[in-house]
Amino acid sequence: MAKKNDIQVIINKKVYTLSGYESEEYLQKIALYLNNKIEECNHVESYKTLGLEYQNILLAINIADDYFKTKEQVSIYEEEIAQNNKKSYDLNHEMIETQIKYESAQKLVEEYKEKINELQKKIIQLEANRTKEN
């Protein structure tokens, strides 16, 4: 079982203790994300005039917005990956079919070469026999 980490972070200029099984770097990353979101909201004049409850709700809405946009983007990427995997499968299948046709054609070429050699030998024999007869 993973070790539980308790680390102190600064969020909105206050010290908090975060606790979790994730790495300290990950927990710091969360704190940094929250600080960036708070800073982003603080740049909007109307946000500063809201009461703390409304500020917190607006902050939560912004975080939820990021979450759903990211989730949608992941879905788009997953669909692209699925399409690319299908294309790759189809191309591999086509390549195998082409390889089989190529090998079959090579086999025919070899068979025809052998037949040509046999026919050339027969021609030489027939010409030799004709020369002996004349």
Side-chain angles (χ1 to χ4, degrees), residues 18-19 28 33 36 40 46 48 51 59-60 62 66 70 82 86 92 97 113-114 122-123 125 132 134:
L18 293 184
S19 186
Q28 286 289 352
Y33 172 79
N36 287 338
E40 188 180 301
S46 58
K48 295 177 192 176
L59 180 63
N62 276 276
D66 284 352
T70 301
K86 184 184 180 326
N92 283 334
E97 285 179 350
K113 280 182 180 179
E114 286 178 25
K122 278 187 178 182
I123 290 171
Q125 281 178 342
K132 284 181 188 177
N134 290 335

Side-chain angles (χ1 to χ4, degrees), residues 1-6 19-24 27:
M1 186 170 175
K3 179 185 163 225
K4 190 173 185 179
N5 291 314
D6 294 323
S19 186
Y21 292 102
E22 293 82 6
S23 69
E24 288 185 27
L27 296 174

Side-chain angles (χ1 to χ4, degrees), residues 99-118:
Q99 182 69 27
I100 290 169
K101 288 177 184 176
Y102 172 75
E103 289 171 2
S104 180
Q106 270 189 320
K107 188 176 177 183
L108 278 173
V109 165
E110 290 303 315
E111 288 173 11
Y112 289 146
K113 280 182 180 179
E114 286 178 25
K115 284 184 181 180
I116 288 171
N117 283 337
E118 288 173 19

